[in-house]
Amino acid sequence: MRNWHLTDRHQSLILSSLDDALPHVAYWGAALDDDLAELTAASEMDVTGGMLDANPPISLCPEASQTFPGQPGLMLQDATGAPMLPRFRYASDQTRETAISLTYSDADLGLTLTFDLAIDTATRMITAQTTLTSDAPVRIHWLAAPTLPAPQLTDHMIDFSGRWIGEFQTTDIPWAAGIHMRESRTGRTGHEHFPAVILPARGTTNTRGDAWAIHYGWSGGHRMVAEELPDGRRQVQFGHAMGTDLAPVTKAQTAKLYATFSTTGLNGIATTFQRHVRDRIVTWPKPDTPRPVHYNCWEAIYFDHSLPELTAIADRAAALGAERFVLDDGWFGKRDDDTSSLGDWDIDPRKYPDGLGPLIDHVHELGMTFGIWFEPEMVNPDSDLYRAHPNWALGPAEQVLGRQQMVLDMANPAVGAYLYDKIAAVLSAYDIDYIKWDHNRVLPFPDAAQTRGYYALVDRLRADFPLTEIESCSSGGGRIDLGVLERTQRVWLSDSNDAIERLRIQHEAALFLPLDVTGSHVGPRHCHTSGRTLDIHLRAWVAAQRHMGFEMDPRELTEDEAQVLRDVTQWWKDNRHWRSTAAILRLDSADPSVIAEQQMADDGSRFVVFAGKHATSEQILPRPLQLTGLDPKARYSIRLLNRDDALPNLSRGSQAIKSRDMVLSGQYLMQHGLTLPWAFPETMWVIEGTRT
C-alpha cells in the first residue's frame, strides 16, 4: 500500500494506492494526524450480495477496465477508432511537503497518466491536474481532472446556472442515485454554467458547518459529473466539454482543478477562493497602485461618438471622482451600430479625425488614466477583414449569427498574428493602461483549441505590454473562471447595472471572487436592462461593495444626486486601502428580503456591513442581523454610516443607532445581531465597525 498526505493544518487530503493501482482519495476533510495505513484500512467498505467481489475504488481517474460501476475518468480511441481500455499501474512518484506528482502507466497501450496535486498552506487551496501522454496519437473524448469524492452527510449540492444579466444563480440539487451532469457547450465559460460546485454538509449555512468546493479553471466549454453510485458512494469529475479536443494528440492535459474544505460554512469556501485569486492567480501590472474608480461611457453614448460630447462627459466624471476613463465600443472601422466593422481595428477618421490623441490628452489633463474596448475574437460579415479573409471565421458561412457577428478561428496562427498586430499598434501609439476585452457571442461549435488560441494572444500581449490591465467581459459574466483570471485583473460580472440584480449577483459571486477583481458600476437612473428606476443611494452603495465605477451619462444627475455619488465615491477611496484585502463574508439573514455581507479587514480590526433590502419583508420590523468572524470577547464601535437616509415620518423610533455610535461586544453582535432601523425596499444600510 502507498499513501500520500497533503495538509495545510486546516484540511487533509489523503491518497491511497493498493497493489500499485491508481490512487484514490481515502480522506478529505478537517486536518488529521492519523496513521495513514490504519486510516485507509478503516475506510474500506463491506461487500454484500448482488455486488462485485470487491469495490472498485473511486480513483483519481476511475477506469472502465476495472468494472467501475460509474462514470469513467477517461474515454479515448486509438488511430483506428477502436476504444482503448487502459489499466494503469504505478510507475513513480515525486513528493514534496506541499505537492505530489504521481505517474502511472499502461505499457501495453503506450499510455502514461500523471496526477499533479498541491496545497497552498497560506490560502488553503488544493490544486490538481491530470496529464495523459501516448506513444501514438489518440483521440480524447473525455479526460477528467483528478476525481474527488463527495461527502455522505449531505443532502444536496449547490450548482450554478444563469443567463445574460442574470449570472451566478445558485441551484440546490438533491443527491439521488445516478448522475447530475452539467455541460457547457457554448465554447466559453458561459453565463449558464459557472464551472464550480459546492458540497455543503447537512445544516451548513454561510457562517457555520462543513463544506467542500470544487472549481474548474478553464475558459472554454466544460463538463461536470456529480454521481451517486448504486453502493452509495459519490464522485465529482470536471473536465473539458466532451469531444472538444477535435484532433488526435500524443499529449492531453486538463485545466487546473481548485478545491478546498471549510469548517466555517460557505464563508470558509469564499475566503479561500477570494484570497487565492487575489494573491496567487491575478498578476497586477502595478501592484502598489490603488485600484482606480472607473468611468465607462457605454450606457451614456453607445455608438454615438463625438469628441465634444466625450470631453464634456469626462469633465463631469472626473468631478464626481472617476480616476479612469474607458472608451467603449464604436471608435473603430465604420462602427455606427453592432452590424459592422468588428475585426477592423483602425481608428474611425470620421469620428476621430486627429486620432484618439485629443481625447486621451483631455482625459489625462483631468487626472484620469485611459482605457479602451476591444472584441478581438469576433468579426462582422460586413467588415473589411471578413471580405479579405472569409476563411478566418469559425464554422460555416451560413451559420446563425449572434449580435450580427461570427467568431474568428483563434487556432489559426494567422488570425492570432493579425489581432496581435492591430491591438499592439493601438497600445503602442497611445498611452492606454486598460483594455475592456469583450466576447459577445457563443461559438458555432465547442472547440478547446479556440480557448488555447485566446490564451496565447492574451499571453503575448501581456508579455509585451505588462503595464496594461485587462478586464474580462463576455456579454457580462460569460467568461469568468480562474483560467481567465490568470491573464486578467478584472471581470465584468454582468451587463446588468440594475442595483437590485447586482446585489444578488455580487452576493453569490463572492463565493469565488474578491472585491478588487469584481467590477461594479453606478448605472443610469432608469436602468437600460431592467427598465427599473432606482434611487442614487442604492445604486452608489451597491457599486461601492466591489471595484467601483460609473456607467451612465453623468450629466443626467441632479446636484443632490451628484453629491451623493461624490460622497460615496470618496468613502470608497478612503477605505480601499484596507478593503482591497478584506474578506467578503456572507451573512445569514433572518429576513429573506435582506441580502447582507460583512467585509472584514485582514487583521480583524475593522469591518463594514452592507445590508441591502431588495423586497418587502413579511414582518413589520427588521429582524436582527447576526454578524460573523468577530472576537467574542472584544468590543466594537458601531456606526450607522448612512443614518441620514432614515425616513423620520416612517422610521419614528428613538433607536440609539440612528443618532450615535454604539460600543457592543463581538459576542452580542454574533449571537443577537444588529437591530437596524426600518427601511423601504430597494434601500441599503451601511454599518462601520471598529475594534476598540
Side-chain angles (χ1 to χ4, degrees):
M1 180 180 293
R2 303 177 192 273
N3 295 288
W4 301 269
H5 186 189
L6 290 174
T7 184
D8 60 10
R9 299 184 304 279
H10 298 276
Q11 67 180 324
S12 286
L13 182 73
I14 297 172
L15 304 177
S16 179
S17 171
L18 183 63
D19 296 333
D20 286 343
L22 287 179
H24 67 277
V25 176
Y27 174 85
W28 178 27
L32 294 178
D33 191 25
D34 290 47
D35 177 88
L36 298 187
E38 192 74 355
L39 181 147
T40 301
S43 66
E44 290 183 13
M45 303 183 75
D46 202 359
V47 176
T48 186
M51 298 179 68
L52 298 171
D53 295 337
N55 296 306
I58 299 177
S59 71
L60 296 184
C61 184
E63 296 170 288
S65 64
Q66 302 305 299
T67 326
F68 181 69
Q71 171 79 15
L74 177 64
M75 301 179 194
L76 71 165
Q77 294 175 320
D78 65 16
T80 69
M84 302 177 74
L85 298 173
R87 183 172 181 264
F88 291 102
R89 311 303 292 173
Y90 174 83
S92 65
D93 67 277
Q94 298 178 0
T95 62
R96 302 190 301 276
E97 184 177 358
T98 59
I100 55 177
S101 182
L102 309 176
T103 300
Y104 286 73
S105 64
D106 183 323
D108 293 338
L109 295 178
L111 300 172
T112 300
L113 201 59
T114 302
F115 306 103
D116 291 292
L117 301 99
I119 194 164
D120 190 308
T121 57
T123 67
R124 308 181 190 175
M125 183 68 78
I126 296 167
T127 55
Q129 193 167 25
T130 303
T131 304
L132 176 74
T133 58
S134 175
D135 293 345
V138 294
R139 187 176 295 278
I140 305 293
H141 292 284
W142 171 243
L143 175 63
T147 299
L148 296 175
Q152 298 282 306
L153 193 62
T154 180
D155 299 315
H156 71 278
M157 66 194 86
I158 301 175
D159 201 359
F160 293 86
S161 60
R163 56 174 172 77
W164 177 67
I165 66 171
E167 295 85 344
F168 282 94
Q169 298 181 36
T170 58
T171 307
D172 286 350
I173 305 294
W175 279 102
I179 289 177
H180 168 63
M181 192 274 284
R182 174 237 290 159
E183 188 163 29
S184 171
R185 300 193 64 82
T186 62
R188 59 183 182 185
T189 315
H191 300 77
E192 307 82 6
H193 303 295
F194 179 68
V197 67
I198 296 177
L199 310 167
R202 191 174 298 159
T204 293
T205 71
N206 285 321
T207 60
R208 56 184 64 88
D210 292 349
W212 295 254
I214 307 169
H215 167 74
Y216 191 59
W218 173 244
S219 308
H222 75 274
R223 184 174 191 251
M224 182 197 79
V225 172
E227 182 177 23
E228 182 171 306
L229 303 178
D231 56 35
R233 291 178 295 165
R234 295 163 174 171
Q235 65 162 338
V236 177
Q237 297 181 8
F238 274 96
H240 295 4
M242 283 274 286
T244 53
D245 285 295
L246 304 180
V249 295
T250 55
K251 181 179 180 180
Q253 188 174 56
T254 69
K256 288 182 181 178
L257 195 73
Y258 297 86
T260 192
F261 166 76
S262 163
T263 57
T264 54
L266 301 186
N267 282 337
I269 300 296
T271 53
T272 289
F273 272 93
Q274 291 166 21
R275 189 183 303 115
H276 196 79
V277 168
R278 187 186 65 233
D279 297 344
R280 299 289 188 267
I281 299 296
V282 174
T283 53
W284 305 99
K286 302 173 185 177
D288 298 327
T289 301
R291 302 294 283 148
V293 176
H294 271 228
Y295 175 75
N296 184 289
C297 69
W298 176 241
E299 293 195 16
I301 63 166
Y302 292 101
F303 298 101
D304 189 14
H305 288 225
S306 158
L307 184 59
E309 289 287 300
L310 285 166
T311 54
I313 289 171
D315 291 343
R316 184 70 162 153
L320 292 168
E323 298 166 308
R324 173 183 281 154
F325 184 98
V326 180
L327 185 68
D328 213 288
D329 193 356
W331 56 268
F332 55 92
K334 296 179 181 177
R335 182 77 164 171
D336 297 327
D337 53 34
D338 64 3
T339 66
S340 75
S341 299
L342 282 178
D344 299 341
W345 299 109
D346 298 304
I347 297 162
D348 185 349
R350 302 170 306 153
K351 299 175 182 178
Y352 299 97
D354 299 313
L356 295 177
L359 176 59
I360 294 175
D361 290 344
H362 184 78
V363 166
H364 287 166
E365 288 168 4
L366 293 169
M368 296 188 289
T369 60
F370 188 84
I372 196 167
W373 181 94
F374 283 97
E375 193 175 1
E377 298 147 271
M378 303 295 163
V379 64
N380 289 119
D382 182 10
S383 67
D384 293 341
L385 177 64
Y386 185 79
R387 284 184 282 271
H389 299 284
N391 59 312
W392 282 7
L394 194 68
E398 300 78 17
Q399 66 185 265
V400 176
L401 301 182
R403 206 185 182 217
Q404 306 295 319
Q405 62 198 51
M406 303 171 78
V407 183
L408 289 171
D409 181 1
M410 298 299 294
N412 183 339
V415 171
Y418 169 85
L419 292 173
Y420 172 85
D421 289 344
K422 287 295 185 180
I423 298 170
V426 176
L427 298 182
S428 299
Y430 298 105
D431 185 2
I432 295 172
D433 79 336
Y434 185 85
I435 294 174
K436 179 182 176 182
W437 188 303
D438 219 334
H439 184 286
N440 275 314
R441 68 151 288 177
V442 300
L443 271 62
F445 55 86
D447 183 356
Q450 189 75 9
T451 302
R452 298 187 186 103
Y454 159 68
Y455 283 169
L457 175 59
V458 179
D459 290 346
R460 185 180 177 191
L461 287 165
R462 290 275 330 268
D464 292 348
F465 300 93
L467 298 182
T468 301
E469 184 175 328
I470 300 176
E471 173 185 84
S472 175
C473 175
S474 186
S475 289
R479 187 157 63 186
I480 298 175
D481 57 82
L482 269 60
V484 78
L485 280 167
E486 286 184 331
R487 297 163 171 85
T488 59
Q489 294 78 30
R490 193 179 197 251
V491 295
W492 185 229
L493 198 56
S494 177
D495 276 348
S496 174
N497 279 321
D498 182 303
I500 294 295
E501 299 288 345
R502 276 277 175 162
L503 185 66
R504 181 203 60 78
I505 296 170
Q506 290 175 180
H507 185 71
E508 306 297 0
L511 288 165
F512 300 95
L513 301 177
L515 183 154
D516 269 2
V517 307
T518 307
S520 187
H521 294 173
V522 182
R525 185 185 303 116
H526 182 76
C527 180
H528 294 185
T529 54
S530 71
R532 187 156 32 198
T533 298
L534 294 171
D535 184 80
I536 187 62
H537 295 82
L538 180 67
R539 287 184 282 144
W541 282 119
V542 168
Q545 288 183 278
R546 299 295 185 265
H547 185 196
M548 188 176 188
F550 323 141
E551 188 168 345
M552 88 297 258
D553 189 335
R555 297 170 298 182
E556 79 171 27
L557 298 172
T558 66
E559 185 48 44
D560 287 345
E561 289 174 323
Q563 189 58 51
V564 170
L565 188 49
R566 280 192 292 267
D567 290 345
V568 174
T569 302
Q570 189 59 52
W571 177 89
W572 192 89
K573 292 179 180 180
D574 292 342
N575 290 274
R576 61 183 160 189
H577 64 286
W578 69 267
R579 291 178 65 226
S580 65
T581 57
I584 304 171
L585 305 175
R586 293 155 36 114
L587 297 180
D588 293 324
S589 174
D591 185 344
S593 72
V594 174
I595 296 176
E597 70 181 32
Q598 177 182 330
Q599 297 181 5
M600 176 69 77
D602 245 0
D603 61 3
S605 63
R606 61 195 301 180
F607 61 84
V608 60
V609 171
F610 297 92
K613 187 173 183 180
H614 62 89
T616 301
S617 299
E618 292 186 1
Q619 76 288 342
I620 294 175
L621 296 177
R623 299 188 189 278
L625 180 64
Q626 291 180 317
L627 305 191
T628 190
L630 304 178
D631 181 345
K633 296 181 179 179
R635 294 191 175 274
Y636 296 85
S637 175
I638 302 297
R639 180 170 185 261
L640 183 60
L641 182 63
N642 57 337
R643 60 179 60 143
D644 291 342
D645 292 352
L647 301 171
N649 59 329
L650 291 172
S651 177
R652 298 180 294 154
S654 56
Q655 289 176 283
I657 198 170
K658 290 198 291 186
S659 59
R660 63 176 176 85
D661 294 357
M662 306 188 72
V663 177
L664 299 166
S665 70
Q667 184 82 311
Y668 175 85
L669 292 168
M670 292 189 292
Q671 292 298 316
H672 179 274
L674 279 171
T675 303
L676 294 170
W678 182 92
F680 275 132
E682 301 181 355
T683 57
M684 179 182 286
W685 291 122
V686 184
I687 304 99
E688 292 181 316
T690 306
R691 184 170 177 161
T692 61

